[in-house]
Amino acid sequence: MPSFAARSEFWTELRTRGGEYLASQGRPSTGDPRALRQAAVILLWFALSYGALLCATSLGLALLAAFSCAFAAAAVGFGVFHDANHGTLFRRPAGNVLAARLCSILLGPSRHLWVRKHGYHHRHANVFGWDDDLETRGLLRLSPAYAWQPRFRRQELKAILYYGLN
């Protein structure tokens, strides 16, 4: 296992190169206006879906609004909560914390638990047995270490539904 100093050098180098790449593309590392527009669209989608669910006058409309709300909630989690917790949505840390807390109120996950768990995920990204993001309780096969079974056919389509329902 590399020493702490070697790991520190690695992360320093990685951040330096990442910053250089973003600068060469003319993109800021935090507070990118495109990310903010995306977050605004996702939050608007969520609000409109939730409003449609509350105002639905038939079972069919309620189901349609519920599915839209479920997918919008997944988008809030992946597209707003995630970026805010990584500190990249806004330039100021306080803005990211506020956005993450608001998403926690909307969706229910603990921001502090997510930060701990996700940090662990980044240290062991996609390592079978260590990264619990690979665990889907048998619904999807996200690692070749899982034995293939017929239920994994067309899982790329099923994953959209599963993540939306999650």
Side-chain angles (χ1 to χ4, degrees):
M1 180 155 176
S3 69
F4 178 76
R7 287 186 303 217
S8 180
E9 291 171 18
F10 169 77
W11 288 112
T12 301
E13 178 71 18
L14 184 65
R15 285 193 177 113
T16 300
R17 288 187 183 191
E20 289 170 355
Y21 172 77
L22 290 172
S24 74
Q25 300 296 310
R27 297 181 63 191
S29 60
T30 61
D32 189 334
R34 290 176 290 189
L36 293 171
R37 280 193 300 271
Q38 174 184 312
V41 168
I42 289 170
L43 291 170
L44 179 63
W45 173 27
F46 181 81
L48 291 174
S49 297
Y50 187 72
L53 182 59
L54 293 176
C55 297
T57 57
S58 70
L59 179 61
L61 289 176
L63 287 174
L64 186 63
F67 275 109
S68 178
C69 194
F71 284 105
V76 169
F78 285 110
V80 182
F81 185 67
H82 179 270
D83 292 351
N85 278 319
H86 270 288
T88 59
L89 190 58
F90 294 99
R91 289 188 184 189
R92 293 186 176 168
N96 289 307
V97 170
L98 179 62
R101 286 181 178 164
L102 290 174
C103 289
S104 290
I105 291 168
L106 281 175
L107 303 177
S110 164
R111 175 184 173 276
H112 298 290
L113 179 63
W114 186 93
V115 168
R116 281 186 66 120
K117 182 187 171 299
H118 198 67
Y120 189 78
H121 156 74
H122 275 277
R123 286 189 300 279
H124 305 288
N126 300 325
V127 177
F128 181 73
W130 286 81
D131 183 359
D132 67 348
D133 284 357
L134 294 177
E135 176 53 50
T136 64
R137 286 144 189 86
L139 292 174
L140 299 170
R141 181 177 183 247
L142 300 180
S143 169
Y146 286 118
W148 188 89
Q149 296 178 10
R151 71 173 179 249
F152 297 133
R153 283 190 188 109
R154 306 302 295 169
Q155 74 174 9
E156 67 277 7
L157 299 176
K158 296 173 193 172
I160 295 169
L161 175 67
Y162 296 155
Y163 278 103
L165 293 175
N166 186 31

